[in-house]
Amino acid sequence: MRQADPKPYWNTNVARHPGILRALPEGCGDALDVGCGDGLLARKLAEQAERVTGIDKSPEMIACARELAAGCPGLAFVEGDFLTADLPAAGYDFICSVTTIHHMDFEAALVRMRELLRPGGTLVVVGLAREASMAEWAAMIAAAPIVRITKVLRRARGPEGMPVAVPQMSYGQVRAAARRLLPGMHYRRHVLRRYSLTWEKPAR
């Protein structure tokens, strides 16, 4: 029997989960969570999709995800490097990734996600980037009080042991590369220092 999740936690990554879940196609067969961490989002996806796979490089995170998902049907976790792991080509109706892509080669990761997505499938990437232009710095400064207050009020925290990395690409660089690799994608900058990319792969 699946054990209950630990006391629910909230952070600026979890804040994006509702939007990701809304993007999940109706009747989704196979979903992939890239950089699944402790599997919180994957467990939420499993309530709507028939089969969900979470992949993460961290042995500690995968062990935690498997423990928390014990007894949950249709949910599996893979320990490995997303860029080289043995995953089925065009095998997923939905692929998502939350604050993971800046740990990898951005373009290689987007291309792999594009290739693993079935025609007509949906991709959602939530990421971190750095401020480079005056407009980006102005947006960050304006949002800073909101971010601080929200984190305090919501008692922001996350699972221990999550790997961290400093983003190397700016918001502008992310947007430009994504538009080139995913024609027609929708880009959005969020108040809580995240951006999101949403793309539907053309049906054949």
Side-chain angles (χ1 to χ4, degrees):
M1 183 177 180
R2 178 185 170 189
Q3 71 178 77
D5 281 353
K7 184 177 180 180
Y9 61 86
W10 181 94
N11 55 41
T12 48
N13 293 331
V14 176
R16 303 265 55 88
H17 286 187
I20 293 171
L21 294 170
R22 285 194 297 271
L24 190 71
E26 186 175 351
C28 179
D30 295 276
L32 176 67
D33 181 10
V34 180
C36 63
D38 70 345
L40 177 60
L41 178 56
R43 294 193 297 277
K44 294 177 182 179
L45 290 169
E47 295 177 0
Q48 301 181 45
E50 293 182 24
R51 294 167 296 277
V52 178
T53 300
I55 181 169
D56 202 292
K57 286 181 67 174
S58 168
E60 295 78 14
M61 288 293 100
I62 287 294
C64 180
R66 285 172 175 160
E67 180 180 357
L68 292 171
C72 181
L75 181 54
F77 293 98
V78 176
E79 178 191 330
D81 185 339
F82 169 67
L83 295 179
T84 58
D86 184 15
L87 297 169
Y92 301 96
D93 303 299
F94 183 76
I95 298 176
C96 62
S97 178
V98 181
T99 59
T100 297
I101 199 166
H102 70 286
H103 290 254
M104 301 180 278
D105 180 296
F106 180 83
E107 296 199 6
L110 272 193
V111 168
R112 182 118 214 257
M113 292 175 191
R114 185 181 69 192
E115 293 173 347
L116 293 177
L117 200 62
R118 288 172 179 153
T122 300
L123 169 65
V124 180
V125 175
V126 173
L128 287 170
R130 63 178 179 83
E131 289 76 17
S133 68
M134 291 297 292
E136 289 169 353
W137 276 107
M140 186 273 287
I141 293 169
I146 299 173
V147 174
R148 287 195 297 269
I149 292 170
T150 303
K151 285 184 174 182
V152 171
L153 292 177
R154 297 297 301 269
R155 298 181 179 179
R157 66 181 181 88
E160 295 182 3
M162 287 286 285
V164 297
V166 177
Q168 300 300 309
M169 295 176 70
S170 70
Y171 289 96
Q173 290 172 327
V174 164
R175 187 170 59 251
R179 283 177 174 168
R180 176 167 48 83
L181 296 171
L182 306 174
M185 72 87 196
H186 176 72
Y187 171 91
R188 183 179 177 186
R189 174 86 179 266
H190 299 281
V191 173
L192 299 180
R193 299 203 70 189
R194 297 291 184 273
Y195 68 81
S196 63
L197 311 173
T198 305
W199 181 67
E200 293 187 8
K201 187 171 185 176
R204 289 173 181 165

